[in-house]
C-alpha cells in the first residue's frame, strides 16, 4: 500500500489540477484493477481542500413526481454526512419544518438529523394529495422555515430530483441568500433539465443523439402529428425525470394515444427516433468519468417501477462492455457535462447499439443518491464508499461555489 500511495503522490504533484483524477484504463498510474489509486487520489484531492465539520441542510422531498425518490436520497445522504461528523439535518423543501417543535437555533442538534425511513412506492406520488396534506395551503413551494434554516447552514446539500430541484430555481434562490449548495449552478441546471435545450447542445457539440423533434402542441394538433412523426419513437416531456412522462409508441395509433396522455404534464415534448440497444449510464465526478453501469430492466425500458422497485432491473457495474465502448460513453458524458457548464457531478444516459455506437439520451444534474443508486455504485467500483462520496460532493461543491464568487 505504501508503494501505491507514493505513486499516487507523484501523480498528484504532476497533475495540472493538483490531483491524479482520471479514469481507469490499463498499464498506467491510477489504473490498477481495484481502483485503489483513483480512490486515494480523489480523496486526497478533497481532503487537501480542508475538510471541516459543517452545519449542512440536506434539502429533499419537494413537490415533483420524484418526491419520494428525493426523500430516500436525502435520508441516505444526511445519515452519511452525520457519520462523517457533520451536523446534517434533513429538511423537506415543500413540507418545511411544520412538524418540528424545537427551537430553530437547535435544529442541527436534532436526533438523527430529523431523518425517518423512506421507501419508493411502485407508483409516483399524488402531488395534489401531498399539497393538501400541508398545513400551509399557500402556493409557495417552500415550506415553513426552509429559507431560515438554509440561511443558518454552511452548505445546502441538494437531494432534490425533478423539476422543483433540478431546473435552477432552487439554486438561484440559494445564490440570492448567499448560501453554498451542491452540484451545478442555476443556469447550467436549468439548461440541462430541459431536454430540448440539452439536445441542441448535443447537436452543436457533435455528441451522437437520436434524430429528434421539438414539439409544442394542443389536443387539436394530435391527428396531424401522429401522421407526420416517425414511429417507433420515444416521447418525453421536456422537464421530466425518473422516466416519468416517457412513453415508447410503436405505431401511429399508439403515438396518438401517447400524445393525449402527455398533455397531463404540459404541452411541450421531445419526440425522438427509438434506438434499440443496451442501456448504459455513466457518471462524471469532478473532472473525470467513472466506470459505467449497464441496466437490464424487467419491463420494456428502465421506467419508474424498474428503477425503484426490488427486482425491477439488473444493474451491472462495471458494465460488461469493452474499454473502447466505456471510453466512448465516458468521453461523451464528460463533453456534455462541460458544454452545459455543469460542475461537481452528473450522470448521463446512453443506448449502446449492436454496432457499438453510443447514443446519448440525457444528462441528470442531481442523480439519485440512495446508497444503492447508480452513482454510488460507480464510485464504489473505484473504491470510494458511500459516506466518502457524499462528503466529496459536499467539499467539491464548496470549492466550486467559492470559485464562482471570485
Amino acid at each position: 500500500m505504501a508503494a501505491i500511495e507514493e505513486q499516487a503522490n507523484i501523480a498528484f504533484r504532476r497533475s495540472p489540477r493538483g490531483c491524479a483524477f482520471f479514469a481507469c484504463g490499463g498499464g498506467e498510474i491510477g489504473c490498477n484493477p481495484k481502483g485503489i489509486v483513483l480512490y486515494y487520489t480523489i480523496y486526497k484531492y478533497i481532503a487537501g481542500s480542508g475538510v471541516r465539520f459543517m452545519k449542512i441542510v440536506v434539502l429533499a422531498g419537494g413537490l415533483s413526481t420524484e418526491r419520494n425518490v428525493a426523500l430516500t436520497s436525502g435520508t441516505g445522504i444526511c445519515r452519511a454526512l452525520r457519520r462523517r461528523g457533520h451536523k446534517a439535518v434533513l429538511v423537506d423543501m415543500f413540507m418545511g419544518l411544520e412538524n418540528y417543535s424545537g427551537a430553530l437555533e437547535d435544529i442541527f442538534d436534532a436526533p438523527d438529523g430529523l431523518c425517518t425511513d423512506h421507501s419508493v412506492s411502485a407508483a409516483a406520488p399524488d402531488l395534489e394529495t401531498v399539497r393538501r396534506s400541508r398545513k400551509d395551503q399557500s402556493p409557495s413551494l417552500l415550506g415553513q422555515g426552509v429559507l431560515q434554516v438554509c440561511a443558518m447552514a454552511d452548505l445546502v446539500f441538494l437531494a432534490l430530483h425533478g423539476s422543483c430541484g433540478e431546473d435552477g430555481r432552487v439554486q438561484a434562490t440559494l445564490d440570492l441568500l448567499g448560501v453554498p449548495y451542491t452540484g451545478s449552478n442555476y443556469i447550467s441546471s436549468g439548461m440541462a433539465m430541459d431536454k430540448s435545450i440539452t439536445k441542441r447542445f448535443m447537436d452543436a457539440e457533435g455528441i451522437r443523439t437520436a434524430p429528434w423533434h421539438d414539439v409544442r402542441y394542443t389536443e387539436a394538433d394530435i391527428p396531424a402529428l401522429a401522421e407526420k412523426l416517425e414511429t417507433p419513437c420515444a416521447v418525453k416531456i421536456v422537464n421530466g425525470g425518473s422516466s416519468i412522462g416517457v412513453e415508447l409508441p410503436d405505431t401511429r395509433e399508439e403515438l396518438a394515444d401517447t400524445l393525449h396522455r402527455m398533455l397531463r404534464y404540459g404541452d411541450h415534448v421531445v419526440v425522438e427516433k427509438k434506438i434499440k440497444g443496451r442501456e448504459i449510464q455513466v457518471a462524471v465526478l469532478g473532472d473525470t468519468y467513472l466506470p459505467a453501469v449497464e441496466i437490464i430492466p424487467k419491463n420494456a425500458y428502465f421506467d419508474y417501477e424498474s428503477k425503484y422497485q426490488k427486482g425491477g432491473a439488473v444493474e451491472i457495474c462495471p458494465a460488461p462492455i469493452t474499454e473502447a465502448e466505456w471510453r466512448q460513453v465516458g468521453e461523451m458524458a464528460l463533453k456534455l457535462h462541460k458544454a452545459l457548464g455543469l460542475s461537481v457531478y452528473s450522470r448521463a444516459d446512453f443506448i449502446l447499439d449492436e454496432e457499438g455506437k453510443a447514443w446519448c439520451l440525457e444528462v441528470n444534474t442531481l442523480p439519485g443518491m440512495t446508497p444503492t443508486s447508480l452513482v454510488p455504485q460507480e464510485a464504489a467500483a473505484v473504491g470510494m464508499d458511500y459516506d466518502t462520496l457524499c462528503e466529496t460532493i459536499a467539499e467539491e461543491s464548496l470549492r466550486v461555489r467559492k470559485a464562482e464568487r471570485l
Side-chain angles (χ1 to χ4, degrees):
M1 189 65 182
I4 291 176
E5 291 184 0
E6 178 56 27
Q7 288 179 308
N9 281 319
I10 293 171
F12 183 87
R13 291 193 295 270
R14 290 177 178 174
S15 169
R17 294 186 296 278
C19 170
F21 205 43
F22 38 69
C24 298
E28 57 185 320
I29 180 67
C31 300
N32 72 85
K34 294 184 180 179
I36 297 173
V37 174
L38 180 59
Y39 165 80
Y40 177 83
T41 52
I42 287 176
Y43 186 74
K44 183 176 177 67
Y45 173 55
I46 299 303
S49 68
V51 173
R52 59 191 178 94
F53 297 130
M54 295 179 285
K55 293 180 178 179
I56 301 175
V57 168
V58 180
L59 203 57
L63 194 68
S64 82
T65 51
E66 297 177 80
R67 169 180 171 77
N68 293 342
V69 184
L71 287 169
T72 306
S73 287
T75 299
I77 292 165
C78 187
R79 286 175 170 159
L81 293 171
R82 290 173 66 83
R83 286 191 293 268
R84 300 292 287 191
H86 300 285
K87 289 191 171 185
V89 61
L90 180 69
V91 176
D92 185 329
M93 188 183 89
F94 183 70
M95 303 303 290
L97 303 177
E98 63 180 26
N99 293 319
Y100 173 67
S101 58
L104 189 59
E105 59 267 25
D106 297 330
I107 194 168
F108 291 100
D109 295 317
D112 201 22
L114 300 179
C115 291
T116 57
D117 292 327
H118 293 277
S119 61
V120 184
S121 60
D126 183 334
L127 298 184
E128 281 307 310
T129 299
V130 174
R131 191 185 291 275
R132 288 193 301 270
S133 71
R134 190 174 74 170
K135 297 173 187 176
D136 174 10
Q137 288 294 294
S138 76
S140 175
L141 293 179
L142 298 173
Q144 175 188 327
V146 169
L147 292 181
Q148 291 93 324
V149 72
C150 286
M152 295 165 57
D154 297 310
L155 176 75
V156 174
F157 199 118
L158 295 176
L160 298 160
H161 305 310
S163 58
C164 72
E166 294 188 68
D167 63 5
R169 289 179 292 169
V170 171
Q171 290 83 353
T173 300
L174 293 172
D175 278 335
L176 292 174
L177 276 179
V179 179
Y181 53 86
T182 53
S184 299
N185 64 34
Y186 78 96
I187 295 176
S188 297
S189 297
M191 292 191 299
M193 185 67 193
D194 189 313
K195 291 180 175 62
S196 65
I197 293 176
T198 302
K199 282 281 197 177
R200 287 179 170 84
F201 269 87
M202 292 183 201
D203 289 342
E205 294 293 324
I207 297 169
R208 190 184 300 108
T209 190
W212 64 286
H213 299 275
D214 187 1
V215 179
R216 292 183 182 271
Y217 70 104
T218 65
E219 190 85 26
D221 299 319
I222 291 176
L225 288 171
E227 288 299 317
K228 173 187 174 183
L229 296 170
E230 178 185 353
T231 55
C233 62
V235 182
K236 306 174 182 180
I237 56 174
V238 294
N239 61 349
S242 282
S243 301
I244 294 171
V246 177
E247 294 195 26
L248 304 174
D250 290 320
T251 66
R252 298 195 182 280
E253 292 76 16
E254 290 177 358
L255 174 57
D257 291 341
T258 291
L259 293 172
H260 281 292
R261 285 190 292 272
M262 287 294 181
L263 284 172
R264 80 182 74 165
Y265 301 109
D267 64 355
H268 192 188
V269 298
V270 164
V271 181
E272 63 185 23
K273 182 178 179 181
K274 184 178 178 181
I275 305 294
K276 295 182 179 181
R278 301 161 66 186
E279 298 196 32
I280 305 293
Q281 304 189 356
V282 63
V284 170
L285 179 62
D287 223 8
T288 193
Y289 50 91
L290 297 177
V293 178
E294 180 174 9
I295 309 297
I296 306 174
K298 71 172 185 179
N299 296 329
Y301 68 103
F302 198 37
D303 59 9
Y304 186 89
E305 181 182 354
S306 297
K307 286 183 177 181
Y308 302 117
Q309 297 306 299
K310 185 176 181 180
V314 175
E315 300 168 357
I316 307 173
C317 182
I321 56 179
T322 67
E323 182 173 330
E325 290 168 339
W326 168 60
R327 291 193 180 278
Q328 179 188 181
V329 295
E331 293 297 334
M332 291 168 74
L334 187 58
K335 188 174 185 179
L336 183 58
H337 180 93
K338 292 179 176 179
L340 286 165
L342 304 181
S343 54
V344 187
Y345 71 124
S346 67
R347 194 199 73 229
D349 303 345
F350 295 86
I351 294 293
L352 188 67
D353 70 19
E354 59 184 11
E355 296 178 357
K357 292 181 181 178
W359 301 79
C360 190
L361 302 177
E362 63 181 26
V363 64
N364 300 271
T365 57
L366 294 176
M369 279 291 293
T370 72
T372 58
S373 291
L374 301 180
V375 174
Q377 286 187 52
E378 294 179 43
V382 293
M384 179 179 282
D385 64 44
Y386 180 72
D387 293 8
T388 303
L389 172 63
C390 292
E391 189 173 57
T392 295
I393 290 170
E395 289 290 332
E396 175 66 357
S397 296
L398 278 177
R399 186 192 68 80
V400 169
R401 297 287 90 80
K402 183 179 180 179
E404 288 174 345
R405 292 171 182 170
L406 294 179

Short mmCIF file of all heavy atoms in Angstrom, two decimals, residues 312-358:
data_model
loop_
_atom_site.label_atom_id
_atom_site.label_comp_id
_atom_site.label_asym_id
_atom_site.label_seq_id
_atom_site.Cartn_x
_atom_site.Cartn_y
_atom_site.Cartn_z
N GLY A 312 -36.73 -4.86 -10.08
CA GLY A 312 -37.22 -4.18 -11.28
C GLY A 312 -36.22 -4.17 -12.42
O GLY A 312 -36.59 -4.03 -13.58
N ALA A 313 -34.94 -4.31 -12.08
CA ALA A 313 -33.90 -4.30 -13.11
C ALA A 313 -32.63 -4.93 -12.54
O ALA A 313 -32.43 -4.96 -11.32
CB ALA A 313 -33.61 -2.88 -13.59
N VAL A 314 -31.81 -5.42 -13.43
CA VAL A 314 -30.48 -5.89 -13.06
C VAL A 314 -29.50 -4.76 -13.41
O VAL A 314 -29.52 -4.24 -14.52
CB VAL A 314 -30.10 -7.17 -13.82
CG1 VAL A 314 -28.66 -7.58 -13.51
CG2 VAL A 314 -31.06 -8.30 -13.47
N GLU A 315 -28.69 -4.37 -12.44
CA GLU A 315 -27.71 -3.31 -12.65
C GLU A 315 -26.32 -3.91 -12.51
O GLU A 315 -25.99 -4.49 -11.46
CB GLU A 315 -27.92 -2.18 -11.63
CG GLU A 315 -29.31 -1.55 -11.75
CD GLU A 315 -29.65 -0.65 -10.58
OE1 GLU A 315 -28.84 -0.56 -9.63
OE2 GLU A 315 -30.73 -0.03 -10.59
N ILE A 316 -25.51 -3.79 -13.55
CA ILE A 316 -24.18 -4.40 -13.56
C ILE A 316 -23.13 -3.30 -13.61
O ILE A 316 -23.08 -2.50 -14.53
CB ILE A 316 -24.01 -5.33 -14.78
CG1 ILE A 316 -25.16 -6.36 -14.85
CG2 ILE A 316 -22.67 -6.04 -14.71
CD1 ILE A 316 -25.16 -7.19 -16.12
N CYS A 317 -22.30 -3.26 -12.58
CA CYS A 317 -21.25 -2.24 -12.50
C CYS A 317 -19.95 -2.89 -12.01
O CYS A 317 -19.95 -3.54 -10.96
CB CYS A 317 -21.67 -1.12 -11.55
SG CYS A 317 -20.47 0.23 -11.43
N PRO A 318 -18.86 -2.72 -12.76
CA PRO A 318 -18.75 -2.04 -14.04
C PRO A 318 -19.51 -2.78 -15.16
O PRO A 318 -19.62 -4.01 -15.12
CB PRO A 318 -17.25 -2.03 -14.32
CG PRO A 318 -16.59 -2.29 -13.00
CD PRO A 318 -17.54 -3.17 -12.26
N ALA A 319 -20.01 -2.03 -16.12
CA ALA A 319 -20.75 -2.62 -17.23
C ALA A 319 -19.86 -3.55 -18.03
O ALA A 319 -18.68 -3.26 -18.24
CB ALA A 319 -21.30 -1.51 -18.14
N PRO A 320 -20.39 -4.69 -18.50
CA PRO A 320 -19.61 -5.63 -19.30
C PRO A 320 -19.48 -5.15 -20.75
O PRO A 320 -20.04 -5.72 -21.68
CB PRO A 320 -20.42 -6.93 -19.19
CG PRO A 320 -21.83 -6.47 -19.00
CD PRO A 320 -21.75 -5.21 -18.19
N ILE A 321 -18.77 -4.06 -20.92
CA ILE A 321 -18.53 -3.50 -22.25
C ILE A 321 -17.02 -3.40 -22.45
O ILE A 321 -16.24 -3.51 -21.50
CB ILE A 321 -19.18 -2.11 -22.42
CG1 ILE A 321 -18.70 -1.14 -21.32
CG2 ILE A 321 -20.71 -2.24 -22.36
CD1 ILE A 321 -19.28 0.26 -21.43
N THR A 322 -16.60 -3.18 -23.68
CA THR A 322 -15.17 -3.08 -23.95
C THR A 322 -14.63 -1.76 -23.41
O THR A 322 -15.38 -0.81 -23.15
CB THR A 322 -14.88 -3.15 -25.45
OG1 THR A 322 -15.41 -1.97 -26.09
CG2 THR A 322 -15.51 -4.39 -26.09
N GLU A 323 -13.31 -1.69 -23.26
CA GLU A 323 -12.71 -0.44 -22.79
C GLU A 323 -13.00 0.69 -23.78
O GLU A 323 -13.25 1.83 -23.37
CB GLU A 323 -11.21 -0.61 -22.61
CG GLU A 323 -10.54 0.66 -22.09
CD GLU A 323 -9.07 0.47 -21.73
OE1 GLU A 323 -8.70 -0.64 -21.34
OE2 GLU A 323 -8.33 1.46 -21.86
N ALA A 324 -12.97 0.37 -25.08
CA ALA A 324 -13.25 1.40 -26.09
C ALA A 324 -14.68 1.92 -25.96
O ALA A 324 -14.93 3.13 -26.09
CB ALA A 324 -13.01 0.84 -27.49
N GLU A 325 -15.63 1.01 -25.69
CA GLU A 325 -17.02 1.44 -25.52
C GLU A 325 -17.19 2.27 -24.26
O GLU A 325 -17.92 3.28 -24.25
CB GLU A 325 -17.93 0.22 -25.50
CG GLU A 325 -18.05 -0.48 -26.85
CD GLU A 325 -18.71 -1.84 -26.77
OE1 GLU A 325 -18.73 -2.45 -25.66
OE2 GLU A 325 -19.19 -2.33 -27.82
N TRP A 326 -16.49 1.87 -23.19
CA TRP A 326 -16.56 2.65 -21.95
C TRP A 326 -15.99 4.05 -22.16
O TRP A 326 -16.57 5.04 -21.72
CB TRP A 326 -15.81 1.91 -20.84
CG TRP A 326 -15.58 2.76 -19.62
CD1 TRP A 326 -16.53 3.34 -18.83
CD2 TRP A 326 -14.32 3.12 -19.07
NE1 TRP A 326 -15.92 4.05 -17.81
CE2 TRP A 326 -14.57 3.92 -17.94
CE3 TRP A 326 -12.99 2.82 -19.42
CZ2 TRP A 326 -13.55 4.45 -17.14
CZ3 TRP A 326 -11.98 3.33 -18.62
CH2 TRP A 326 -12.26 4.14 -17.51
N ARG A 327 -14.85 4.11 -22.81
CA ARG A 327 -14.25 5.42 -23.05
C ARG A 327 -15.15 6.26 -23.97
O ARG A 327 -15.22 7.49 -23.83
CB ARG A 327 -12.85 5.28 -23.66
CG ARG A 327 -11.85 4.70 -22.67
CD ARG A 327 -10.41 4.84 -23.14
NE ARG A 327 -9.48 4.28 -22.16
CZ ARG A 327 -9.06 4.91 -21.07
NH1 ARG A 327 -9.53 6.13 -20.82
NH2 ARG A 327 -8.22 4.34 -20.25
N GLN A 328 -15.82 5.62 -24.90
CA GLN A 328 -16.73 6.34 -25.79
C GLN A 328 -17.84 7.02 -24.99
O GLN A 328 -18.07 8.23 -25.12
CB GLN A 328 -17.34 5.37 -26.83
CG GLN A 328 -18.31 6.01 -27.79
CD GLN A 328 -19.03 5.01 -28.67
OE1 GLN A 328 -19.85 5.37 -29.51
NE2 GLN A 328 -18.75 3.73 -28.49
N VAL A 329 -18.53 6.27 -24.14
CA VAL A 329 -19.62 6.87 -23.37
C VAL A 329 -19.06 7.85 -22.34
O VAL A 329 -19.66 8.91 -22.08
CB VAL A 329 -20.51 5.81 -22.70
CG1 VAL A 329 -21.24 4.98 -23.74
CG2 VAL A 329 -19.73 4.92 -21.74
N GLY A 330 -17.92 7.52 -21.75
CA GLY A 330 -17.33 8.41 -20.75
C GLY A 330 -16.93 9.75 -21.33
O GLY A 330 -17.21 10.80 -20.75
N GLU A 331 -16.28 9.73 -22.49
CA GLU A 331 -15.86 10.98 -23.12
C GLU A 331 -17.06 11.81 -23.55
O GLU A 331 -17.05 13.04 -23.45
CB GLU A 331 -14.94 10.70 -24.30
CG GLU A 331 -13.58 10.11 -23.93
CD GLU A 331 -12.74 11.04 -23.07
OE1 GLU A 331 -12.93 12.27 -23.16
OE2 GLU A 331 -11.89 10.53 -22.30
N MET A 332 -18.11 11.14 -24.05
CA MET A 332 -19.31 11.86 -24.44
C MET A 332 -19.98 12.50 -23.22
O MET A 332 -20.44 13.65 -23.27
CB MET A 332 -20.28 10.92 -25.16
CG MET A 332 -19.80 10.48 -26.53
SD MET A 332 -20.77 9.11 -27.24
CE MET A 332 -22.28 9.97 -27.69
N ALA A 333 -20.04 11.75 -22.12
CA ALA A 333 -20.63 12.28 -20.89
C ALA A 333 -19.85 13.49 -20.39
O ALA A 333 -20.44 14.51 -19.99
CB ALA A 333 -20.69 11.19 -19.83
N LEU A 334 -18.53 13.38 -20.39
CA LEU A 334 -17.69 14.47 -19.91
C LEU A 334 -17.80 15.69 -20.83
O LEU A 334 -17.85 16.84 -20.36
CB LEU A 334 -16.24 14.00 -19.83
CG LEU A 334 -15.24 14.95 -19.18
CD1 LEU A 334 -15.65 15.31 -17.76
CD2 LEU A 334 -13.84 14.33 -19.19
N LYS A 335 -17.88 15.46 -22.13
CA LYS A 335 -18.01 16.56 -23.08
C LYS A 335 -19.32 17.31 -22.89
O LYS A 335 -19.36 18.54 -22.90
CB LYS A 335 -17.92 16.02 -24.51
CG LYS A 335 -17.84 17.09 -25.59
CD LYS A 335 -17.60 16.46 -26.96
CE LYS A 335 -17.40 17.52 -28.02
NZ LYS A 335 -17.15 16.91 -29.36
N LEU A 336 -20.42 16.58 -22.69
CA LEU A 336 -21.71 17.22 -22.46
C LEU A 336 -21.72 17.95 -21.12
O LEU A 336 -22.26 19.06 -21.01
CB LEU A 336 -22.82 16.17 -22.50
CG LEU A 336 -24.26 16.69 -22.34
CD1 LEU A 336 -24.59 17.72 -23.42
CD2 LEU A 336 -25.25 15.54 -22.38
N HIS A 337 -21.14 17.34 -20.10
CA HIS A 337 -21.02 17.95 -18.77
C HIS A 337 -20.34 19.32 -18.89
O HIS A 337 -20.83 20.32 -18.34
CB HIS A 337 -20.22 17.00 -17.89
CG HIS A 337 -19.99 17.45 -16.48
ND1 HIS A 337 -20.82 17.11 -15.43
CD2 HIS A 337 -19.00 18.22 -15.93
CE1 HIS A 337 -20.36 17.63 -14.31
NE2 HIS A 337 -19.26 18.30 -14.58
N LYS A 338 -19.24 19.37 -19.62
CA LYS A 338 -18.50 20.62 -19.76
C LYS A 338 -19.23 21.61 -20.66
O LYS A 338 -19.23 22.82 -20.40
CB LYS A 338 -17.10 20.33 -20.31
CG LYS A 338 -16.20 19.58 -19.33
CD LYS A 338 -14.83 19.31 -19.93
CE LYS A 338 -13.91 18.64 -18.92
NZ LYS A 338 -12.57 18.35 -19.50
N ALA A 339 -19.85 21.12 -21.73
CA ALA A 339 -20.55 22.02 -22.66
C ALA A 339 -21.68 22.77 -21.98
O ALA A 339 -21.93 23.95 -22.24
CB ALA A 339 -21.08 21.22 -23.85
N LEU A 340 -22.39 22.08 -21.09
CA LEU A 340 -23.50 22.71 -20.37
C LEU A 340 -23.02 23.52 -19.17
O LEU A 340 -23.84 24.18 -18.51
CB LEU A 340 -24.48 21.63 -19.89
CG LEU A 340 -25.36 20.98 -20.97
CD1 LEU A 340 -25.99 19.70 -20.44
CD2 LEU A 340 -26.43 21.95 -21.44
N GLY A 341 -21.73 23.47 -18.89
CA GLY A 341 -21.19 24.20 -17.74
C GLY A 341 -21.53 23.57 -16.41
O GLY A 341 -21.59 24.25 -15.38
N LEU A 342 -21.73 22.24 -16.40
CA LEU A 342 -22.06 21.55 -15.16
C LEU A 342 -20.83 21.44 -14.26
O LEU A 342 -19.69 21.59 -14.73
CB LEU A 342 -22.61 20.15 -15.46
CG LEU A 342 -23.83 20.09 -16.39
CD1 LEU A 342 -24.29 18.66 -16.58
CD2 LEU A 342 -24.97 20.96 -15.86
N SER A 343 -21.07 21.20 -13.00
CA SER A 343 -19.96 21.09 -12.06
C SER A 343 -20.26 20.05 -11.00
O SER A 343 -21.40 19.68 -10.75
CB SER A 343 -19.67 22.44 -11.39
OG SER A 343 -20.83 22.98 -10.79
N VAL A 344 -19.19 19.56 -10.40
CA VAL A 344 -19.15 18.60 -9.29
C VAL A 344 -19.52 17.18 -9.73
O VAL A 344 -18.68 16.29 -9.67
CB VAL A 344 -20.05 19.04 -8.11
CG1 VAL A 344 -19.82 18.09 -6.91
CG2 VAL A 344 -19.74 20.48 -7.69
N TYR A 345 -20.77 16.96 -10.14
CA TYR A 345 -21.14 15.61 -10.58
C TYR A 345 -22.38 15.66 -11.46
O TYR A 345 -23.16 16.60 -11.43
CB TYR A 345 -21.34 14.67 -9.40
CG TYR A 345 -22.59 14.90 -8.54
CD1 TYR A 345 -23.50 13.87 -8.33
CD2 TYR A 345 -22.84 16.11 -7.92
CE1 TYR A 345 -24.63 14.04 -7.53
CE2 TYR A 345 -23.95 16.30 -7.10
CZ TYR A 345 -24.85 15.27 -6.92
OH TYR A 345 -25.94 15.44 -6.13
N SER A 346 -22.52 14.63 -12.27
CA SER A 346 -23.71 14.44 -13.11
C SER A 346 -23.72 12.99 -13.56
O SER A 346 -22.77 12.25 -13.32
CB SER A 346 -23.68 15.38 -14.33
OG SER A 346 -22.63 15.04 -15.23
N ARG A 347 -24.81 12.59 -14.21
CA ARG A 347 -24.89 11.24 -14.77
C ARG A 347 -25.57 11.32 -16.12
O ARG A 347 -26.63 11.91 -16.26
CB ARG A 347 -25.68 10.31 -13.86
CG ARG A 347 -25.52 8.82 -14.20
CD ARG A 347 -26.63 7.97 -13.62
NE ARG A 347 -27.89 8.18 -14.34
CZ ARG A 347 -29.06 8.42 -13.76
NH1 ARG A 347 -29.16 8.53 -12.45
NH2 ARG A 347 -30.15 8.59 -14.50
N ALA A 348 -24.94 10.73 -17.13
CA ALA A 348 -25.50 10.73 -18.48
C ALA A 348 -25.99 9.33 -18.84
O ALA A 348 -25.40 8.33 -18.44
CB ALA A 348 -24.46 11.20 -19.50
N ASP A 349 -27.07 9.29 -19.62
CA ASP A 349 -27.71 8.04 -20.01
C ASP A 349 -27.52 7.80 -21.51
O ASP A 349 -27.67 8.73 -22.30
CB ASP A 349 -29.20 8.07 -19.68
CG ASP A 349 -29.47 8.34 -18.20
OD1 ASP A 349 -28.53 8.22 -17.40
OD2 ASP A 349 -30.63 8.67 -17.85
N PHE A 350 -27.24 6.55 -21.87
CA PHE A 350 -26.94 6.21 -23.25
C PHE A 350 -27.66 4.92 -23.67
O PHE A 350 -28.02 4.10 -22.83
CB PHE A 350 -25.43 5.96 -23.42
CG PHE A 350 -24.57 7.16 -23.20
CD1 PHE A 350 -24.13 7.49 -21.92
CD2 PHE A 350 -24.19 7.97 -24.25
CE1 PHE A 350 -23.34 8.60 -21.70
CE2 PHE A 350 -23.39 9.09 -24.05
CZ PHE A 350 -22.97 9.40 -22.77
N ILE A 351 -27.80 4.77 -24.97
CA ILE A 351 -28.11 3.48 -25.59
C ILE A 351 -26.89 3.07 -26.41
O ILE A 351 -26.38 3.86 -27.22
CB ILE A 351 -29.35 3.57 -26.51
CG1 ILE A 351 -30.61 3.86 -25.70
CG2 ILE A 351 -29.52 2.27 -27.30
CD1 ILE A 351 -31.04 2.75 -24.76
N LEU A 352 -26.40 1.86 -26.18
CA LEU A 352 -25.28 1.32 -26.94
C LEU A 352 -25.85 0.34 -27.94
O LEU A 352 -26.36 -0.72 -27.56
CB LEU A 352 -24.29 0.64 -26.00
CG LEU A 352 -22.96 0.18 -26.60
CD1 LEU A 352 -22.12 1.37 -27.04
CD2 LEU A 352 -22.18 -0.66 -25.58
N ASP A 353 -25.79 0.69 -29.23
CA ASP A 353 -26.44 -0.16 -30.24
C ASP A 353 -25.59 -1.38 -30.57
O ASP A 353 -24.47 -1.55 -30.06
CB ASP A 353 -26.83 0.65 -31.47
CG ASP A 353 -25.64 1.12 -32.32
OD1 ASP A 353 -24.54 0.55 -32.20
OD2 ASP A 353 -25.83 2.07 -33.12
N GLU A 354 -26.12 -2.25 -31.45
CA GLU A 354 -25.44 -3.52 -31.73
C GLU A 354 -24.13 -3.33 -32.48
O GLU A 354 -23.30 -4.23 -32.54
CB GLU A 354 -26.37 -4.43 -32.53
CG GLU A 354 -26.83 -3.86 -33.85
CD GLU A 354 -27.83 -4.76 -34.56
OE1 GLU A 354 -28.33 -5.72 -33.94
OE2 GLU A 354 -28.12 -4.47 -35.75
N GLU A 355 -23.92 -2.13 -33.06
CA GLU A 355 -22.66 -1.84 -33.73
C GLU A 355 -21.63 -1.22 -32.79
O GLU A 355 -20.52 -0.87 -33.21
CB GLU A 355 -22.90 -0.91 -34.92
CG GLU A 355 -23.77 -1.52 -36.01
CD GLU A 355 -24.03 -0.54 -37.14
OE1 GLU A 355 -23.58 0.63 -37.03
OE2 GLU A 355 -24.66 -0.93 -38.13
N GLY A 356 -22.00 -1.05 -31.53
CA GLY A 356 -21.09 -0.46 -30.57
C GLY A 356 -21.10 1.06 -30.57
O GLY A 356 -20.23 1.69 -29.95
N LYS A 357 -22.09 1.67 -31.21
CA LYS A 357 -22.22 3.13 -31.20
C LYS A 357 -23.08 3.57 -30.02
O LYS A 357 -24.15 3.02 -29.79
CB LYS A 357 -22.86 3.62 -32.50
CG LYS A 357 -22.02 3.44 -33.75
CD LYS A 357 -22.77 3.99 -34.96
CE LYS A 357 -21.96 3.81 -36.24
NZ LYS A 357 -22.73 4.30 -37.42
N ALA A 358 -22.59 4.56 -29.31
CA ALA A 358 -23.33 5.10 -28.16
C ALA A 358 -24.17 6.28 -28.60
O ALA A 358 -23.72 7.16 -29.34
CB ALA A 358 -22.36 5.52 -27.07
#
